[in-house]
Amino acid sequence: MTPPLGDIAHIGHAQLFTPDLDASVAFFTDYLGLTVNGSQGDSVHLRTYDDYEHHSLVLTARAEPGLGRLALRTSSEEALQRRVAALEEAGRAGRWVEDEPGIGKLYVTTDPDGHEHALYWESEHYRAPDELRPALKNQPQAKPNRGVGVRRLDHVNFLAADVLANAEFQEHLLGARPTEQIRLDSGRIAARWLTFTDKSYDVVYTEDWTGSSGRLHHIAFAADTREDILRAADLAIDTGVFIETGPHKHAIQQTFFLYVYEPGGNRIELCNPLTRLVLAPDWPLITWTEAERAKGQAWGLRTIESFHTHGTPPVA
């Protein structure tokens, strides 16, 4: 049975592995405008200016790039315990850890593909030092005067060997709502977008054409406007940041986007999804066909991966 909506309040933060920690930190601070908020061992904690918590991103030194932990904050201690009980009953028992600054106990488990998820409730609200104090008291931190100045971590797109199994993990055990999907002519679900909130999506699963498990497609940060995305593209070419595709508009979810790569090898999306909300409690799951996805993005841009080449539809 699908749990009640609202047990997961929002995405808290993501962890990325990088083989070049210093260069990755420089990318996220100088280009994206995040602020370093401490370090611990081989990890550096960074935050977007409008995040109320200690950190939005953890960069950890590893030999290969990829996604570490996706942390989800629950709406209460009771909600956390409900999700833990549901996970354990479903055979996805995890472990309790307390290893991140500004956050209490985390319950760490995995989805069917092996991506690590951490659920938590206890969290300290960020208090900006004098040099970062905002003029407006309803903003946690002053807007940065460098780089793109992204507002928050927006979503994570996982690659998965079995999209449906992983999407149903999010739906049945964590309480996400599916909003859009791609169904191939064979009937196989090749991608699904899900939300925990009124945003149109928080997590995505896209079929990994290599058949691998546990890989990342991208993490995304939200900017205020489309103009910010265009400015991000200009900043990228001026500073040597590699642009993979965009700026453009996705057909699915209608997100205005830019894909770049950070020096450690992780794909990063800059997006402007702020005008699209799912307010209908009975929102219908929108299904895109193989032929519709073959048309490309909203204005005809070819997508990154072609299902004619790799046996899976392009990422939206």
Side-chain angles (χ1 to χ4, degrees), residues 72-243:
L72 304 170
R73 192 178 186 205
T74 62
S75 55
S76 66
E77 177 65 30
E78 292 75 20
L80 174 60
Q81 296 304 327
R82 280 195 298 269
R83 293 306 97 229
V84 169
L87 288 162
E88 292 180 347
E89 184 178 348
R92 305 220 67 85
R95 68 190 191 280
W96 289 100
V97 301
E98 195 165 354
D99 58 2
E100 296 198 40
I103 292 174
K105 294 187 301 181
L106 300 101
Y107 187 78
V108 181
T109 184
T110 61
D111 65 14
D113 213 65
H115 301 102
E116 192 172 89
H117 287 59
L119 309 183
Y120 67 98
W121 160 242
E122 295 177 1
S123 179
E124 297 176 5
H125 282 229
Y126 176 73
R127 297 181 66 86
D130 289 344
E131 66 272 17
L132 296 176
R133 190 165 296 162
L136 301 176
K137 65 188 298 182
N138 56 0
Q139 185 171 297
Q141 177 185 322
K143 193 166 185 176
N145 59 3
R146 66 188 184 283
V148 182
V150 291
R151 180 174 287 273
R152 58 177 168 78
L153 178 66
D154 187 76
H155 66 268
V156 174
N157 189 322
F158 302 99
L159 290 173
D162 185 336
V163 167
L164 188 58
N166 287 277
E168 289 182 343
F169 163 85
Q170 298 283 348
E171 294 169 44
H172 301 324
L173 298 182
L174 300 184
R177 284 192 295 166
T179 55
E180 302 196 34
Q181 66 179 4
I182 299 171
R183 179 186 289 131
L184 302 184
D185 294 344
S186 65
R188 189 169 79 251
I189 302 302
R192 183 171 285 181
W193 286 253
L194 307 104
T195 183
F196 298 112
T197 62
D198 289 334
K199 289 169 62 256
S200 59
Y201 62 114
D202 292 305
V203 295
V204 189
Y205 283 96
T206 303
E207 189 172 76
D208 191 329
W209 61 269
T210 70
S212 303
S213 296
R215 297 205 304 157
L216 171 70
H217 189 274
H218 68 266
I219 67 170
F221 291 88
D224 283 343
T225 68
R226 287 187 181 185
E227 187 62 35
D228 288 323
I229 306 302
L230 299 176
R231 180 172 172 272
D234 286 336
L235 286 174
I237 61 172
D238 282 340
T239 58
V241 171
F242 175 72
I243 295 176

Side-chain angles (χ1 to χ4, degrees), residues 1-17:
M1 178 181 294
T2 301
L5 293 174
D7 272 3
I8 302 298
H10 61 82
I11 290 177
H13 58 273
Q15 179 187 34
L16 287 181
F17 297 139

